[in-house]
Amino acid sequence: MAIDKYGIAKRIAQELKDGMYVNLGIGIPTLVANFIPNGISIMLQSENGMLGMGPYPVEKKIDADLINAGKETVTILPGGAFFDSAESFGMIRAGKVDLTVLGAMEVSETGDIANWKIPGKMVKGMGGAMDLVASARNIIVAMMHTNPRGESKLLPGCQLPLTGVKCVKKVVTDLAVLDITSNGFKLLERAPGVSVEEIRSKTAGKLIIEGDIPEMKI
């Protein structure tokens, strides 16, 4: 049984370490803010100029003036700061972001990512992703393992326009957790109830399987 988008976010939250500065991309990545482990302090950064974001607000706490880069209402924690986007991208480009979590349409076995454009469809542009993939110290992709047509999104090479080259370190999908290595996707964990065979059949890129693969602990 595959996990849902909340399960993906919960698993990625386990990668957070105390004191990290983290940028969460649009979509599944933003959900990570709701699952930060107890006992650690994380500074969430948004490209539009926010540092110190909290979880999504409950309805009675919504403030229309507090929005992230994806135009979603958010909360701000004590000590949070606001600044212009030039300062925000200065922080990103200076390598001050420890971890970036991004969604993706495709990831290649060498760590390339395509997450911004489908040819023939209207898009608003690449946004801050190109700076994030070029500058972040660590990039984790959160996505579904296959597209709506059932085709693998983990490929030998991306077919869509690239956002970044050889930048992704880890992928967490509804089926598995995989590291990007010099030899391809290395299977680290499988979703509860999901077999190695199913993951193998839905991974088009090179898949490395060593020993018994444990289930994710969500």
Side-chain angles (χ1 to χ4, degrees), residues 14-50:
Q14 296 174 22
E15 300 290 319
L16 303 178
K17 304 290 188 295
D18 190 49
M20 272 187 168
Y21 287 79
V22 180
N23 184 287
L24 302 177
I26 296 169
I28 297 173
T30 58
L31 299 174
V32 175
N34 286 343
F35 302 110
I36 294 172
N38 293 328
I40 68 172
S41 177
I42 301 295
M43 293 295 281
L44 295 179
Q45 190 257 13
S46 184
E47 299 100 296
N48 60 325
M50 295 180 70

Side-chain angles (χ1 to χ4, degrees), residues 34-127:
N34 286 343
F35 302 110
I36 294 172
N38 293 328
I40 68 172
S41 177
I42 301 295
M43 293 295 281
L44 295 179
Q45 190 257 13
S46 184
E47 299 100 296
N48 60 325
M50 295 180 70
L51 185 64
M53 290 181 297
Y56 280 121
V58 295
E59 189 167 355
K60 64 182 179 181
K61 295 283 189 179
I62 289 175
D63 183 341
D65 290 326
L66 294 179
I67 60 170
N68 62 19
K71 308 300 186 291
E72 299 170 308
T73 52
V74 294
T75 58
I76 190 81
L77 299 178
F82 304 92
F83 35 87
D84 66 25
S85 59
E87 190 81 16
S88 180
F89 278 95
M91 179 182 178
I92 292 167
R93 293 167 184 168
K96 303 299 184 183
V97 176
D98 299 301
L99 170 65
T100 293
V101 184
L102 293 172
M105 299 166 188
E106 296 175 347
V107 174
S108 80
E109 63 188 34
T110 58
D112 302 342
I113 179 174
N115 81 334
W116 74 282
K117 183 177 176 63
I118 297 176
K121 293 194 176 183
M122 284 289 291
V123 291
K124 295 179 180 178
M126 191 179 287

